[in-house]
Amino acid sequence: MAGSEQGWWRNRKAALVVAHPGHELRVHHWMENARPLVLVLTDGSGHLGTGRLDRTAAVLAGAGASPSVNFFGKMPDRELYRAILAGEMETFRALADEIATIFADGEIDYVAADAVEGFNPGHDVCRLLVNAALATLRGRNGRDLPNLEFPLEAATLERQTRGGIELHLDAVALDRKLRAVDNYPELTEEADRLRAAHGMTSFGVERLTPVDYLLDISDCCEQPPAYERWGEQRVKSGYYKTVLRFRDHVEPIARQLGSWKW
C-alpha cells in the first residue's frame, strides 16, 4: 500500500456518498482504512423494484464502515430518475441541505463520492448534490472540506492526485476486496465488464482524486454523454419512454443548484 500524499487523511473522519448501493466496492480498501460514514442516495432497485441495501450493509460491516441512519437508500431508483426528468429542484435542494447537515452533525473532515463520468445520470447528479452540500456547509460555517472523487467505469482517474489518496492493494487486501465483490451477485455483470475492460487494474488500485470543479460539469465527460446513446436505444426498443439528456435535464439541475444562495 502506498500513498500519493503522506497520509493526511488518516485518523480523520470521512464520509462516503454514492448514488447506488454497490459503488462502495470500488474503494473497498480505502473504507477498511478510513472507516467512513456512508450515505447512499438510492436503494439500487433499478427497474425491477428489488433493492440491494442489505448487500451493501454487509460490505460496510465487513470493512468497518458505518451506514448513515437517515441517508441510506434515500429513494428508489425510479424516483430519482423521475425527479431528474421533471426537474424537481426543491427535491435536489432538500437533498443537498440534508447531506450538508449530516456532514456538519457528524463533524466530517473530508468527503469522497462518485466521479462524473457521463455513464449514468444518477451518478452525476449524486456528485452535484455532494458539491452543493459542501458549498452549503462552507456558506454556513466557513468549513471547506477536502472533496475527493473516484471512478466507477474507468480503471482509475488520471487527474492530478496532489492532495488525493492512492492505495495499491497487496495480495491479502485484494483478496478481501474480490471476495466482497463475489458476494454481491447483483453486480456480477458489472464486475465482469470491468475485469474485461481493465483487467485487475480496476480492482488493485484505488485512487481518490481532489475535485477541481463545482457545479459546472459540462467538461467532465464527453458530450453528449454515453447515457444518452443508451437511452435512445432503449426508447427505440420500447424499454424507456423518454431519453434523459444532459442539456435538457442534468445541466439545469447543476445551474439551479449553483444559483442558490449558500
Side-chain angles (χ1 to χ4, degrees):
M1 181 176 66
S4 59
E5 295 287 310
Q6 292 300 315
W8 63 266
W9 52 281
R10 296 186 183 280
N11 300 315
R12 301 179 71 180
K13 296 185 72 173
L16 170 65
V17 188
V18 295
H20 302 129
H23 292 188
E24 70 282 351
L25 289 166
R26 289 293 261 144
V27 287
H28 184 268
H29 191 48
W30 169 77
M31 284 199 306
E32 291 180 320
N33 285 270
R35 298 177 178 267
L37 176 69
V38 181
L39 289 70
V40 183
L41 181 55
T42 80
D43 61 2
S45 55
H47 291 276
L48 300 177
T50 302
R52 54 177 193 258
L53 289 169
D54 56 338
R55 301 284 190 194
T56 281
V59 171
L60 301 188
S66 303
S68 170
V69 173
N70 297 315
F71 209 104
F72 192 70
K74 193 66 180 176
M75 61 177 64
D77 289 68
R78 286 175 180 261
E79 181 61 19
L80 173 61
Y81 298 126
R82 187 201 61 76
I84 295 172
L85 283 167
E88 292 185 356
M89 281 312 305
E90 288 300 327
T91 295
F92 296 115
R93 185 65 174 100
L95 288 168
D97 273 338
E98 185 172 0
I99 294 170
T101 298
I102 291 170
F103 290 167
D105 291 349
E107 299 181 323
I108 297 300
D109 295 315
Y110 72 101
V111 177
D114 297 343
V116 173
E117 297 182 280
F119 178 79
N120 182 302
H123 304 177
D124 297 354
V125 167
C126 179
R127 165 49 65 185
L128 289 173
L129 293 175
V130 171
N131 288 3
L134 290 172
T136 299
L137 192 61
R138 189 181 311 116
R140 285 179 183 172
N141 58 24
R143 292 195 70 199
D144 193 8
L145 305 187
N147 181 14
L148 308 178
E149 63 183 354
F150 60 92
L152 297 166
E153 289 301 311
T156 58
L157 288 176
E158 299 299 341
R159 298 174 189 163
Q160 174 60 252
T161 59
R162 182 176 179 80
I165 300 168
E166 185 171 320
L167 300 177
H168 294 259
L169 281 62
D170 62 22
V172 176
L174 180 58
D175 181 66
R176 287 195 303 270
K177 183 174 184 176
L178 293 178
R179 281 191 281 111
V181 172
D182 289 341
N183 288 332
Y184 212 124
E186 294 87 346
L187 297 180
T188 297
E189 182 178 345
E190 286 84 348
D192 288 346
R193 177 165 46 78
L194 287 173
R195 283 190 179 100
H198 307 300
M200 297 309 296
T201 301
S202 60
F203 296 90
V205 178
E206 297 178 358
R207 184 177 290 131
L208 294 84
T209 305
V211 172
D212 57 3
Y213 54 88
L214 294 175
L215 293 166
D216 181 0
I217 61 172
S218 56
D219 294 330
C220 293
C221 62
E222 64 176 351
Q223 293 295 337
Y227 61 74
E228 288 194 26
R229 298 194 297 274
W230 298 330
E232 290 167 355
Q233 294 170 6
R234 293 201 165 193
V235 166
K236 288 180 180 178
S237 68
Y239 193 77
Y240 290 162
K241 293 182 179 179
T242 306
V243 178
L244 201 157
R245 299 191 182 278
F246 177 80
R247 298 297 181 191
D248 295 340
H249 305 111
V250 175
E251 190 173 46
I253 294 172
R255 189 164 54 246
Q256 288 296 318
L257 284 173
S259 71
W260 284 88
K261 302 299 182 184
W262 311 111

